[in-house]
Amino acid sequence: MEKKAEVEIISRKAIKPSSPTSPQSRKLEFSLLDQVIPPIYTAVILFYTSNTNQSNDSSFRSRSEKSDHLQKSLSKTLVHFYPLAGRLNNNTSIECNDEGAHFVEAEIHCRLSEFLKEPDPSLLSHLLPTSDPKATELARNAVLLVQLTEFNCGGIAVSVCPSHKIADASSFCEFLKSWAAVARGHDEVARPEFIGASMLPPVTDQQIERSLEALGDSFITKRFVFDVSKLANLKAKIGSGVQQLVPTNVELVSAIFLRCAIAACQSTTGCFRPALLYQTVNLRRRMAPPMPESTIGNLIWGFPVVVEEESKMDVGDIVARMRKGLKDFCNEKANIFKGENGYSLVFESFKLEGEFFKTGMRMYSCTSRCKFPFYEVDFGWGKPTWIMNPLYAMNTMTLMDTKKGDGIEAWLTLEKQEMAVFESNEELLAFASINPSVVI
């Protein structure tokens, strides 16, 4: 593919709810967990080939027809997800003023098949509305941005970018499922519940929002695809140990990532450096009683997995610590987020993180979107051919199932020198391929 292929913006507009938000719902306060989330947009890019139309419906032949269909169905969906049509009010709330989601329509002058032969993170970022300076200027403080990009072959990419202040992975998935259901003409869609602030109210007397440092030129993002069949032997080996611990695929990939990242850091610095991996947990299913999946907002938290000694880098050891950390977190902490003690838990976690940082410990994070049904998102012309979940943050890995379920796709950002060592690690390459072509 011609690496200089550029995205041409065709139009920009605001999509408002098809009916106005009621006066009593005009303001949505953040929960404390919303407040501590960095002020970034999360994103998913859904790719559809021109022949994914499984119903042989000829209603969506042109980009304009698909765009009109998406806009109308989005407008109807925003009636229920009304905060997504509002504007951010600092770090306290969303003004649900119906100003609308920002919708960008664009073209890219190449074929989708060429684009996906070797997915390039720097090119993929241009399919996001957040990469368009004018869009971000026009949509200042917008909660939701969307971009529809058409390829020369008629294939499309639908990029959806809600503010992380209101959308964790579960919230994001609920919104996409509802939007797709509305687009297919379904009347029965899940009704979102915005109850985070009533569970853990916000604070107003101190600055608690965490920021993310700009990556700069010293960091690079790459894609790896782990083969589930190749993980099976390692899983069996660990499971046959004394602890009888059978790892999940996500645990294995996370442990391999941490082990290889530590080795890469050691190779470039010349010394072993203790490391910590934060594993993100969806609190909804971990609370008692569980919260409904339709609960919208940030109901996530992370628990630390620490490797302090070079002798403790075995994958099985790391997996065992992950499993114990998750069990302890679920048993001792998950339910605390429902009440006043949630405040002390949040700030104690910040204090512990600061102590780790002062010791010079290298910090990593891993977020999994595995098991979420993103590949079921059908707006009326078929299911996605490929999905990308970009998150460009330092020392961060995001995971997602491949479409067929035979692999786990990982997007990883590391310092360039460390990435060069990381991607040549023989242990890693025994289980993963570096940026293989997306098969259409």
Side-chain angles (χ1 to χ4, degrees):
M1 184 189 70
E2 176 60 48
K3 293 296 184 181
K4 295 183 179 179
E6 295 181 357
V7 173
E8 178 185 353
I9 303 299
I10 305 301
S11 66
R12 306 177 180 90
K13 63 182 70 174
I15 307 300
K16 300 183 178 184
S18 57
S19 59
T21 300
S22 63
Q24 61 267 30
S25 299
R26 285 276 168 167
K27 185 174 184 179
L28 178 70
E29 282 196 330
F30 288 139
S31 71
L32 177 62
L33 298 184
D34 296 326
Q35 286 186 302
V36 302
I37 291 292
I40 60 173
Y41 287 96
T42 186
V44 64
I45 308 177
L46 306 105
F47 294 87
Y48 300 87
T49 60
S50 57
N51 60 354
T52 54
N53 192 336
Q54 298 170 352
S55 62
N56 295 318
D57 187 343
S58 61
S59 302
F60 308 116
R61 289 180 176 173
S62 69
R63 182 196 68 242
S64 61
E65 289 167 336
K66 291 175 181 175
S67 179
D68 185 62
H69 181 68
L70 284 177
Q71 292 176 43
K72 288 179 179 177
S73 56
L74 175 58
S75 180
K76 293 177 182 178
T77 308
L78 289 175
V79 172
H80 306 294
F81 289 82
Y82 54 89
L84 295 180
R87 293 296 181 267
L88 297 167
N89 181 20
N90 296 318
N91 196 32
T92 61
S93 61
I94 294 175
E95 296 297 332
C96 306
N97 53 21
D98 293 344
E99 286 191 23
H102 193 73
F103 192 97
V104 177
E105 193 172 343
E107 292 180 347
I108 184 168
H109 301 295
C110 69
R111 298 178 65 83
L112 178 57
S113 58
E114 296 171 343
F115 194 87
L116 298 183
K117 279 181 181 177
E118 189 178 344
D120 184 336
S122 64
L123 289 175
L124 285 162
S125 65
H126 291 294
L127 301 179
L128 298 171
T130 50
S131 68
D132 175 19
K134 189 168 183 179
T136 52
E137 178 184 349
L138 291 172
R140 189 178 301 275
N141 296 324
V143 182
L144 175 65
L145 294 85
V146 177
Q147 180 168 316
L148 167 65
T149 307
E150 184 182 43
F151 292 81
N152 286 347
C153 58
I156 60 170
V158 180
S159 304
V160 187
C161 303
S163 169
H164 207 334
K165 286 293 182 185
I166 187 65
D168 60 11
S170 181
S171 304
F172 199 167
C173 196
E174 285 298 305
F175 166 68
L176 280 175
K177 286 195 300 182
S178 296
W179 182 9
V182 171
R184 297 194 309 274
H186 292 195
D187 296 326
E188 298 289 331
V189 296
R191 294 296 184 263
E193 300 183 34
F194 302 98
I195 57 176
S198 62
M199 184 183 72
L200 191 60
V203 296
T204 57
D205 59 347
Q206 54 189 303
Q207 175 58 254
I208 60 169
E209 182 177 75
R210 292 183 288 181
S211 61
L212 290 177
E213 294 181 44
L215 287 179
D217 294 333
S218 65
F219 281 79
I220 187 170
T221 299
K222 292 203 173 186
R223 168 178 170 258
F224 301 83
V225 178
F226 288 79
D227 188 327
V228 168
S229 65
K230 293 181 179 179
L231 294 171
N233 289 337
L234 179 60
K235 182 183 293 190
K237 180 180 177 181
I238 294 173
S240 64
V242 177
Q243 296 176 330
Q244 296 296 307
L245 171 64
V246 180
T248 66
N249 290 327
V250 168
E251 286 173 334
L252 276 182
V253 171
S254 301
I256 293 169
F257 155 62
L258 181 58
R259 176 177 166 83
C260 295
I262 293 173
C265 178
Q266 184 174 5
S267 176
T268 55
T269 61
C271 63
F272 172 80
R273 185 172 174 180
L276 175 153
L277 175 68
Y278 274 105
Q279 293 278 91
T280 303
V281 178
N282 182 357
L283 296 173
R284 292 168 182 79
R285 64 192 68 168
R286 307 296 185 180
M287 291 179 168
M291 304 290 289
E293 292 300 318
S294 57
T295 305
I296 306 302
N298 288 286
L299 281 165
I300 53 174
W301 200 250
F303 67 91
V305 178
V306 179
V307 176
E308 294 183 289
E309 301 174 22
E310 192 171 352
S311 61
K312 301 291 186 179
M313 284 176 56
D314 181 76
V315 170
D317 288 339
I318 295 174
V319 167
R321 264 170 279 166
M322 285 181 182
R323 185 67 62 85
K324 184 179 186 303
L326 177 61
K327 181 179 178 181
D328 292 346
F329 177 86
C330 294
N331 291 341
E332 301 169 9
K333 297 182 178 180
N335 231 39
I336 296 177
F337 288 95
K338 278 187 174 180
E340 293 182 0
N341 291 334
Y343 294 100
S344 59
L345 178 56
V346 168
F347 293 114
E348 284 172 10
S349 297
F350 286 166
K351 182 179 178 181
L352 180 62
E353 185 177 310
E355 291 173 356
F356 282 135
F357 183 78
K358 288 178 182 178
T359 65
M361 188 171 287
R362 178 62 65 92
M363 295 187 182
Y364 303 93
S365 65
C366 177
T367 298
S368 172
R369 289 181 174 177
C370 294
K371 307 302 182 185
F372 285 108
F374 287 102
Y375 273 103
E376 299 300 311
V377 177
D378 178 359
F379 292 106
W381 46 73
K383 297 178 182 180
T385 292
W386 185 55
I387 293 176
M388 179 194 174
N389 284 267
L391 179 59
Y392 303 107
M394 290 186 288
N395 299 336
T396 295
M397 181 171 69
T398 59
L399 305 177
M400 187 170 175
D401 297 310
T402 57
K403 184 173 183 176
K404 292 182 179 180
D406 56 356
I408 292 181
E409 192 160 302
W411 287 86
L412 170 63
T413 301
L414 288 176
E415 193 274 332
K416 285 183 178 179
Q417 283 187 311
E418 292 185 17
M419 180 65 82
V421 177
F422 181 93
E423 67 181 353
S424 62
N425 189 302
E426 291 184 1
E427 181 178 353
L428 171 76
L429 297 177
F431 304 103
S433 302
I434 302 174
N435 200 28
S437 294
V438 176
V439 178
I440 297 180

